[in-house]
Amino acid sequence: MYALKDQLSAELAAIEADGLTKHERLITTPQSSHIGTTAGDALNFCANNYLGLANHPEVVAAAHAALDEWGFGMASVRFICGTQTQHRDLERAIADFVGTQDAILFPSCFDANGGIFEVLMGAEDAIISDELNHASIIDGVRLSKAQRYRYKNRDMDDLRAQLESARDASARRTLVVTDGAFSMDGYLAPLEQICDLAEEFGAMVMVDDSHATGFVGEGGRGSHEACGVVDRVDIMTGTLGKALGGGSGGYVAAHQEIVDLLKQRARPYLFSNAVAPAVVSGSLKALELARESDEGRTRLRANAELFRTLMTDAGFELLPGEHPIVPVMFPGDDGARLASDVADAMLRRGVYVIAFSFPVVPRGKARIRVQLSAAHSEDDVRACVDAFVAARDEVG
Ligand SMILES: *Cc1c(COP(=O)(O)O)cnc(C)c1O
């Protein structure tokens, strides 16, 4: 035991020495655009609370009511005695919104991605994955026995080359999998071209839309809507832990047979507790709000556009796009330190943003990732830009 403690201490010290220790800030309020922390109040620009639903009064009210109507916990996996009628209601509502035949709920999207590949893809099959896909896709692919291929981020020539390799290896099934929106850049996957290529090679397409469901696309249905391929994507996964209330839970939305088979075979579904009743009710309400009104999306888009315009005018370098993830770039050798110092200086001014550097993003491409929300007012957005300018002046 003492040897183990020494080894782990050394490992922790190495993480600290590399400047990679993640320190958790303690929040003292509900999740919102304005939060309290043990280190003071802050304007929050780093939550995935895109539509401002995490503390929306109607979502909170629905969850409150659910405690009385449905109780606190399920104390069962879904297939034993853990499925209330509202669990099925939520699955149908998700399928309807995303545009698939059916959907299956998981405890999280991490679990949805962790469970799906092993069920659908065997040793005679091929999975072709974007190199920047989320950790849960990488882990899920590892848990399957399928042959693995990786293509450069959004690189359609490389995807074609990998599809050719899989075909040459006589794969039975081939599945192309990509994030719908990439979390470090805010870039959308080129889904129309991906679907074209998949069709040419007889492959299936799976999209993880965790950073898109609810707000990307005209009706907020996701990246497949934005790219005009709602009917061409075979499998959509996503989370209830971001725009759709930010509670917890994930899903696979797909053809009926895929959903049915996952209910029989997916291990995180079979062997983990059902999503809690209050979270189901709150998520149903969040989904209803996201589906039936453009108000949140309109405000979110206006905020992202205003932020991008003001920051560009102030001379900051941004990655282009329209996504509410806006990376403010600090390129070069000194970028990692600068980004981190600017983020610290902003927090002292009451604006909470996070700096990312290698190995989370490529060397020389350090950035502060700003995430806009419909919960932000125009004044909040302007205050964030002002803090960027002041922090840059301070840090030099
Ligand atoms: C956040 C995220 C997940 C994990 O979702 P949880 O429901 O929090 O487990 C999976 N995939 C992508 C692309 C994500 O951004």
Side-chain angles (χ1 to χ4, degrees):
M1 189 57 209
Y2 289 109
L4 174 65
K5 281 186 160 199
D6 287 346
Q7 289 158 10
L8 300 189
S9 297
E11 198 171 332
L12 285 164
I15 294 171
E16 183 72 41
D18 287 344
L20 296 176
T21 304
K22 289 180 265 302
H23 299 282
E24 291 181 9
R25 242 169 259 291
L26 301 185
I27 312 291
T28 56
T29 62
Q31 185 63 278
S32 177
S33 52
H34 295 248
I35 54 173
T37 81
T38 50
D41 292 348
L43 254 175
N44 189 3
F45 281 89
C46 53
N48 300 312
N49 186 21
Y50 297 111
L51 292 173
L53 297 176
N55 193 33
H56 190 286
E58 288 189 49
V59 174
V60 174
H64 267 295
L67 285 170
D68 292 332
E69 188 179 355
W70 298 103
F72 174 69
M74 289 314 299
S76 171
V77 298
R78 286 286 302 277
F79 81 92
I80 297 181
C81 54
T83 301
Q84 294 170 328
T85 50
Q86 61 162 355
H87 287 86
R88 278 303 290 150
D89 292 343
L90 180 55
E91 288 172 335
R92 291 196 196 287
I94 289 168
D96 189 52
F97 185 63
V98 171
T100 58
Q101 278 185 320
D102 205 350
I104 167 178
L105 265 180
F106 284 82
S108 68
C109 187
F110 205 106
D111 283 332
N113 290 332
I116 186 171
F117 298 103
E118 187 195 15
V119 174
L120 295 183
M121 308 299 286
E124 61 277 54
D125 302 320
I127 302 172
I128 307 182
S129 179
D130 188 291
E131 66 176 351
L132 291 191
N133 279 344
H134 190 262
S136 56
I137 294 177
I138 295 168
D139 287 6
V141 170
R142 279 189 192 141
L143 287 170
S144 82
K145 294 193 171 61
Q147 306 307 308
R148 301 167 205 171
Y149 301 83
R150 200 165 64 154
Y151 65 97
K152 293 201 184 67
N153 180 230
R154 298 174 300 123
D155 183 329
M156 293 299 99
D157 292 334
D158 197 21
L159 174 56
R160 172 179 286 282
Q162 302 308 319
L163 281 160
E164 282 166 355
S165 297
R167 184 185 56 196
D168 293 346
S170 306
R172 177 186 63 165
R173 300 173 187 155
T174 301
L175 173 65
V176 179
V177 56
T178 181
D179 283 13
F182 290 92
S183 65
M184 284 299 142
D185 303 321
Y187 291 155
L188 295 189
L191 291 184
E192 189 179 2
Q193 292 151 276
I194 289 174
C195 287
D196 286 347
L197 275 171
E199 201 169 286
E200 183 182 334
F201 284 84
M204 297 180 284
V205 175
M206 168 173 158
V207 176
D208 177 348
D209 238 4
S210 291
H211 280 287
T213 312
F215 59 97
V216 169
E218 187 64 30
R221 297 170 73 189
S223 59
H224 59 337
E225 184 190 17
C227 296
V229 294
V230 168
D231 296 327
R232 299 178 67 196
V233 173
D234 299 282
I235 301 165
M236 301 289 295
T237 65
T239 183
L240 302 172
K242 291 188 171 110
L244 295 176
S248 67
Y251 60 83
V252 173
H255 307 291
Q256 194 65 56
E257 294 78 5
I258 292 177
V259 169
D260 288 348
L261 188 64
L262 289 172
K263 289 201 167 184
Q264 301 305 314
R265 293 267 166 82
R267 293 165 69 82
Y269 181 83
L270 293 174
F271 299 113
S272 190
N273 195 25
V275 176
V279 173
V280 173
S281 291
S283 300
L284 267 166
K285 177 56 74 176
L287 189 55
E288 182 189 319
L289 292 170
R291 189 180 53 216
E292 291 183 359
S293 165
D294 290 325
E295 197 187 319
R297 280 184 288 280
T298 304
R299 209 154 354 109
L300 177 61
R301 279 180 199 133
N303 283 342
E305 204 178 302
L306 177 66
F307 181 76
R308 285 178 182 276
T309 303
L310 293 176
M311 286 293 285
T312 305
D313 290 349
F316 286 94
E317 180 189 339
L318 311 179
L319 291 186
E322 292 172 7
H323 199 280
I325 289 173
V326 184
V328 181
M329 304 305 287
F330 291 82
D333 292 342
D334 212 21
R337 189 188 59 78
L338 271 175
S340 162
D341 288 353
V342 167
D344 288 347
M346 289 178 69
L347 189 60
R348 289 196 293 276
R349 293 180 155 74
V351 176
Y352 191 7
V353 291
I354 299 283
F356 292 93
S357 53
F358 183 80
V360 180
V361 295
R363 243 182 248 286
K365 301 218 164 152
R367 67 200 62 185
I368 291 175
R369 181 178 73 173
V370 176
Q371 291 175 283
L372 283 304
S373 167
H376 291 129
S377 67
E378 195 181 311
D379 283 348
D380 293 340
V381 176
R382 291 182 188 280
C384 181
V385 175
D386 290 346
F388 261 106
V389 171
R392 179 180 58 188
D393 291 348
E394 180 187 324
V395 170

